């Protein structure tokens, strides 16, 4: 088993392009928050209409990637076509997760009073722009950790066992 720690080769111009697309999307769609991450939950960019500390964006992207990953595996088991978008409706918020090829996700939080049709229209536009930017980007493996399953389980037991 290999665990990879990846960093993306983002020059300043690419970072600015990503940020502009996200900010433009939030502004046009009326979303509360849009966060761009990879499928492992690593934050690339975000914009929010509400104050948001960086650690919260990382928490949100962890949830976004987990939900999308679980849904993707369920869709495979059910032999459904490729999963592209997931939408959840809550009492006060809607959550939309859009797959951005090749391996990225755009998580969006929207108030119930905001038109979902409008959000999805601008989401489609933003996803095309993001895909164009991201297909040029390269990932740089920072570190690869090779570990066997037994050692990994032992380390996890040590960590979990210490929380009693």
């Amino acid at each position: 088993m290999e665990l990879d720690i990846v960093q993306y080769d983002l020059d300043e111009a690419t970072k600015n392009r990503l940020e502009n697309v996200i900010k433009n999307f939030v502004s046009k769609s009326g979303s509360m928050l849009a966060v761009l991450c990879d499928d492992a939950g690593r934050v690339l960019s975000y914009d929010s209409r509400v104050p948001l500390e960086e650690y919260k964006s990382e928490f949100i992207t962890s949830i976004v990637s987990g939900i999308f990953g679980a849904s993707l595996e369920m869709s495979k088991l059910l032999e459904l076509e490729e999963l592209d978008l997931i939408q959840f409706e809550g009492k006060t918020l809607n959550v939309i997760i859009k797959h951005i090829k090749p391996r990225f996700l755009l998580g969006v939080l929207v108030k119930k009073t905001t038109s979902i049709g409008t959000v999805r229209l601008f989401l489609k536009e933003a996803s095309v722009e993001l895909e164009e930017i991201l297909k040029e980007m390269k990932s740089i493996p920072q570190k690869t950790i090779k570990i066997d399953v037994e050692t990994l389980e032992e380390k996890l037991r040590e960590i979990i066992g210490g929380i009693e």
Side-chain angles (χ1 to χ4, degrees), residues 68-127:
F68 193 85
S71 299
L72 183 63
E73 290 305 312
M74 286 190 308
S75 71
K76 287 178 185 176
L77 289 172
L78 296 171
E79 298 178 1
L80 300 174
E81 31 183 274
E82 188 177 332
L83 190 59
D84 185 58
L85 185 132
I86 302 171
Q87 181 177 326
F88 298 94
E89 289 189 31
K91 290 183 179 180
T92 59
L93 291 175
N94 291 319
V95 178
I96 301 170
I97 304 171
K98 173 79 169 102
H99 180 237
I100 309 291
K101 294 178 184 177
R103 59 173 289 192
F104 300 94
L105 304 168
L106 183 59
V108 181
L109 295 179
V110 183
K111 286 184 181 178
K112 287 291 278 190
T113 55
T114 305
S115 166
I116 289 294
T118 302
V119 173
R120 289 185 64 162
L121 173 70
F122 291 118
L123 182 59
K124 187 173 185 171
E125 182 182 291
S127 67

